[in-house]
């Protein structure tokens, strides 16, 4: 079983739609959860990060973490064509060990928002 | 807004040659990382660096790879004898908690 699984899509939605992106993971040690956006041949751009379970909102973006189900989500409201990119989930364990900060990434979901 | 920078943006080299990829992390960050992404594949962890030493390295990070923080601002990745399969995007990242990535260096090994 892969440590982090993410449906690669592609996902195509009309402008204004609500987008739901998801990842599942198997390592219960993961405590920090990140979402990145990546354009072709560019570096990952941090969108949001959360610690442990719960929700976090930033503008049109909402991140949710359900540690009991080992499931994380990113919601994009009022999606725009400029949101078209690959979205990567990534996570790492609690502080105090050598693996602190070692991000394990999902495959990435390719999103296209068409006008 | 502070950002991670990387040079060069593209490096072409012959198999067996040494390459050095350079990064300038965000100035008040304490943790530094290298990742790579082979075209069409996921981003993979190579190495983490804290307090002037390697914290953890992956199986990919074998004896051909080394990292260094030669001064207070630069962080480098050296590949001693490049192989064809080293062709990839290499990303540097730095963090307090959240990791910020540089734009990457595209390494092409011929």
């Amino acid at each position: 079983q892969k440590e982090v699984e993410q449906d690669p899509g592609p996902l195509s939605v009309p402008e204004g739609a609500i987008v739901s992106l998801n990842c599942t993971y198997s390592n219960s040690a993961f405590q920090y959860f990140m979402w990145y956006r990546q354009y072709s041949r560019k570096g990952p751009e941090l969108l949001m990060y959360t610690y442990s379970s719960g929700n976090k909102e930033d503008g049109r973006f909402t991140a949710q973490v359900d540690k009991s189900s080992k499931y994380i989500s990113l919601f994009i409201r009022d999606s725009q064509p400029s949101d078209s990119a690959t979205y990567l989930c990534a996570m790492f364990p609690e502080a105090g060990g050598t693996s602190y900060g070692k991000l394990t990434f999902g495959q990435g979901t390719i999103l296209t928002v068409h006008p | 807004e502070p950002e991670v920078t990387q040079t060069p943006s593209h490096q072409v080299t012959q198999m067996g040659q040494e390459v050095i990829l350079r990064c300038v992390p965000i100035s008040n960050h304490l943790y530094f990382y290298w990742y790579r992404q082979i075209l069409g594949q996921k981003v993979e962890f190579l190495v983490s660096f804290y307090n002037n030493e390697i914290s953890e390295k992956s199986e990919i990070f074998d004896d051909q790879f080394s990292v260094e923080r030669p001064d207070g601002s630069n962080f480098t990745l050296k590949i001693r004898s490049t192989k064809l399969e080293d062709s990839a995007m290499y990303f540097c990242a730095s963090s307090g908690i959240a990791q910020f990535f540089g734009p990457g260096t595209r390494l092409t090994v011929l």
Side-chain angles (χ1 to χ4, degrees):
Chain A
Q1 184 183 10
K2 293 179 184 176
E3 273 198 297
V4 180
E5 302 218 36
Q6 184 177 9
D7 186 344
L11 183 62
S12 180
V13 301
E15 183 175 356
I18 296 175
V19 176
S20 172
L21 303 166
N22 312 292
C23 290
T24 59
Y25 63 95
S26 58
N27 186 348
S28 58
F30 288 141
Q31 294 282 358
Y32 293 88
F33 303 92
M34 322 258 168
W35 285 96
Y36 289 88
R37 177 172 61 196
Q38 187 178 32
Y39 297 107
S40 181
R41 300 205 172 205
K42 302 292 185 185
E45 173 194 356
L46 181 66
L47 290 174
M48 301 183 71
Y49 78 93
T50 53
Y51 172 72
S52 195
S53 285
N55 295 356
K56 188 173 183 178
E57 188 174 320
D58 184 2
R60 297 185 294 113
F61 298 91
T62 300
Q64 290 185 351
V65 175
D66 181 350
K67 290 194 67 189
S68 63
S69 302
K70 296 190 179 69
Y71 187 87
I72 70 171
S73 301
L74 178 71
F75 297 96
I76 308 173
R77 288 183 299 282
D78 188 26
S79 55
Q80 303 294 310
S82 57
D83 294 328
S84 299
T86 298
Y87 289 79
L88 311 173
C89 64
M91 48 201 79
F92 68 86
E94 180 64 270
T98 59
S99 292
Y100 177 76
K102 174 190 171 185
L103 281 172
T104 300
F105 279 84
Q107 180 71 30
T109 299
I110 300 170
L111 172 67
T112 301
V113 181
H114 51 86
Chain B
E1 185 174 317
E3 59 182 14
V4 177
T5 60
Q6 289 185 243
T7 54
S9 57
H10 188 196
Q11 174 90 48
V12 181
T13 189
Q14 296 290 327
M15 190 169 55
Q17 295 296 302
E18 174 183 288
V19 295
I20 298 175
L21 311 183
R22 292 183 166 80
C23 169
V24 179
I26 294 172
S27 61
N28 62 347
H29 284 176
L30 299 178
Y31 298 88
F32 313 110
Y33 312 87
W34 284 100
Y35 294 82
R36 80 171 185 190
Q37 186 176 31
I38 295 170
L39 189 62
Q41 298 187 22
K42 61 169 64 177
V43 178
E44 301 174 286
F45 169 83
L46 290 178
V47 65
S48 56
F49 193 86
Y50 171 71
N51 201 24
N52 283 320
E53 60 182 25
I54 291 174
S55 302
E56 184 160 348
K57 56 186 180 180
S58 72
E59 292 175 353
I60 304 166
F61 195 89
D62 61 22
D63 292 344
Q64 295 300 314
F65 291 86
S66 62
V67 290
E68 198 174 43
R69 189 155 160 81
D71 53 42
S73 58
N74 290 285
F75 181 49
T76 63
L77 174 69
K78 182 193 291 187
I79 309 175
R80 263 181 276 282
S81 178
T82 50
K83 302 189 274 288
L84 294 175
E85 55 265 37
D86 294 328
S87 294
M89 286 289 288
Y90 287 81
F91 296 111
C92 172
S94 70
S95 74
I97 295 175
Q99 280 185 40
F100 294 87
F101 282 71
T105 293
R106 181 153 64 103
L107 177 64
T108 302
V109 182
L110 303 176

